[in-house]
C-alpha cells in the first residue's frame, strides 16, 4: 500500500472519542431538530456539546448555562453537504474537519449548525 484515505464514519467516531468524558450534563432547551449531548470535561475547564444535524437545512442554536461566565468557545465539525459524500483515493479530503465560529455574548453561545453535519462545540468557562 502506498497511500490511504479515511472514511467519514471513522472521522466522526474519532472526533467523538477524542472528546469523550463520562461526566454527563443535562441539556435543557429547544434542540430543534438537532441531536445534542452535553458533558463536562474531565478537568472541569469546559463543557463539551456534541451536535448532529441530520436535516438538509442549517439550524441555529443558542446555548445558555448556569455557569459563572464564558471565556471562549470553539467548534470543530464535519459537514460534507451530502449524505452520500465519501473520501476516495482521488479525493482524500472530500469529507474534512472544519472549524466553525461560535459567537459568545451575554453568557451564551450561538452557533449555526450546517446541514448533514456532526461536530463538537467546546465552551470554556471563565474562572
Amino acid at each position: 500500500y502506498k497511500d490511504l484515505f479515511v472514511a467519514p464514519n471513522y472521522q466522526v467516531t474519532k472526533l467523538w472519542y477524542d472528546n469523550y468524558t463520562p461526566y454527563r450534563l443535562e441539556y435543557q432547551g429547544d434542540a430543534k431538530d438537532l441531536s445534542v449531548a452535553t458533558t463536562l470535561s474531565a478537568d472541569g475547564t469546559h463543557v463539551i456539546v456534541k451536535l448532529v444535524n441530520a436535516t438538509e437545512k442549517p439550524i441555529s442554536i443558542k446555548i445558555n448555562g448556569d455557569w459563572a461566565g464564558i471565556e471562549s468557545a470553539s467548534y470543530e465539525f464535519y459537514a460534507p453537504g451530502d449524505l452520500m459524500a465519501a473520501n476516495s483515493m482521488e479525493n482524500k479530503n472530500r469529507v474534512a474537519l472544519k472549524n466553525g465560529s461560535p459567537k459568545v455574548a451575554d453568557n451564551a453561545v450561538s452557533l449555526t449548525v450546517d446541514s448533514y453535519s456532526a461536530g463538537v462545540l467546546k465552551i470554556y468557562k471563565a474562572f
Side-chain angles (χ1 to χ4, degrees), residues 29-96:
D30 184 8
K32 302 179 182 176
D33 287 330
L34 298 174
S35 173
V36 179
T38 55
T39 56
L40 181 64
S41 66
D43 62 5
T45 62
H46 58 283
V47 172
I48 301 166
V49 184
K50 294 177 181 162
L51 299 161
V52 176
N53 181 356
T55 73
E56 61 186 20
K57 295 181 181 178
I59 298 174
S60 294
I61 188 169
K62 184 174 184 179
I63 299 173
N64 296 301
D66 59 357
W67 41 65
I70 300 173
E71 182 178 292
S72 63
S74 65
Y75 183 57
E76 294 182 306
F77 65 103
Y78 292 98
D82 180 355
L83 289 178
M84 302 308 291
N87 292 334
S88 66
M89 291 303 280
E90 294 76 30
N91 190 351
K92 296 178 184 107
N93 294 309
R94 169 67 176 90
V95 179

